[in-house]
Amino acid sequence: PIDAARRKERASIDQAIEQADRAMAEKDRELAELRTAHESQTAATASDRLQGDREEMLDADELVAAERKRLAELQTEWEQKLRSAELEFSVERAKLAREQSALKERLFDLQKVEAQSGPAAEPVDHKQPRRRWLSALGLGEEGEEPAKPK
């Protein structure tokens, strides 16, 4: 019976040790997370502070302030030029659209007049004989007669 009681006590102690180990492992993990979060927050804060100090220092420098002012003026100037160019392009597009519309209207009117006047008395043959100059030299293709000089 002493052995059974000791075994039970031993098992209970082992269980308590395992629970304590699990609890310590959990606390170590939480502690590591907190350290990581703290380090990243500290780094971010330091970075923000450095950025703020850098901006403050640059704003205090007269040359940098003058250059920033000049850049702002240039930016404003180029934005105005861009707006002006866009307006000019818009006006030009409208002008071209009006001219195109007028040309279409004239073409339509000409087609209407042509249709009303009827077909032409003689159809005009726009084709000219091919290789006339070869025929004139007597070098025409077989079956062609040489052209007579004028």
Side-chain angles (χ1 to χ4, degrees), residues 52-93:
D53 290 347
R54 188 178 309 133
E55 287 294 322
E56 206 174 288
M57 195 168 61
L58 288 175
D59 288 342
D61 189 358
E62 292 178 20
L63 290 175
V64 173
E67 187 64 19
R68 283 184 176 180
K69 182 180 177 186
R70 189 180 74 79
L71 288 173
E73 290 170 357
L74 283 174
Q75 183 177 5
T76 303
E77 179 184 337
W78 279 104
E79 286 172 352
Q80 289 173 349
K81 286 182 179 182
L82 179 63
R83 279 193 293 275
S84 174
E86 286 174 347
L87 181 63
E88 191 176 317
F89 287 146
S90 179
V91 168
E92 191 64 28
R93 275 194 306 269

Side-chain angles (χ1 to χ4, degrees), residues 103-119:
L103 285 174
K104 283 182 181 179
E105 193 173 314
R106 282 186 67 197
L107 179 64
F108 180 72
D109 290 343
L110 287 174
Q111 288 173 344
K112 198 185 323 181
V113 168
E114 186 178 287
Q116 289 174 352
S117 68

Side-chain angles (χ1 to χ4, degrees), residues 8 12 65 96 108-109 112 134:
K8 194 174 187 182
S12 139
L96 289 173
F108 180 72
D109 290 343
K112 198 185 323 181
L134 288 175

Side-chain angles (χ1 to χ4, degrees), residues 7-84:
R7 282 187 197 145
K8 194 174 187 182
E9 187 179 334
R10 176 79 176 186
S12 139
I13 291 172
D14 286 343
Q15 230 176 17
I17 290 173
E18 284 178 21
Q19 286 177 350
D21 285 344
R22 281 194 300 265
M24 284 190 55
E26 178 67 23
K27 295 298 178 185
D28 286 343
R29 186 187 59 77
E30 288 177 13
L31 195 60
E33 287 177 4
L34 288 172
R35 281 187 183 135
T36 304
H38 177 69
E39 287 171 2
S40 66
Q41 185 179 18
T42 303
T45 303
S47 174
D48 291 345
R49 193 175 322 122
L50 283 175
Q51 182 66 22
D53 290 347
R54 188 178 309 133
E55 287 294 322
E56 206 174 288
M57 195 168 61
L58 288 175
D59 288 342
D61 189 358
E62 292 178 20
L63 290 175
V64 173
E67 187 64 19
R68 283 184 176 180
K69 182 180 177 186
R70 189 180 74 79
L71 288 173
E73 290 170 357
L74 283 174
Q75 183 177 5
T76 303
E77 179 184 337
W78 279 104
E79 286 172 352
Q80 289 173 349
K81 286 182 179 182
L82 179 63
R83 279 193 293 275
S84 174

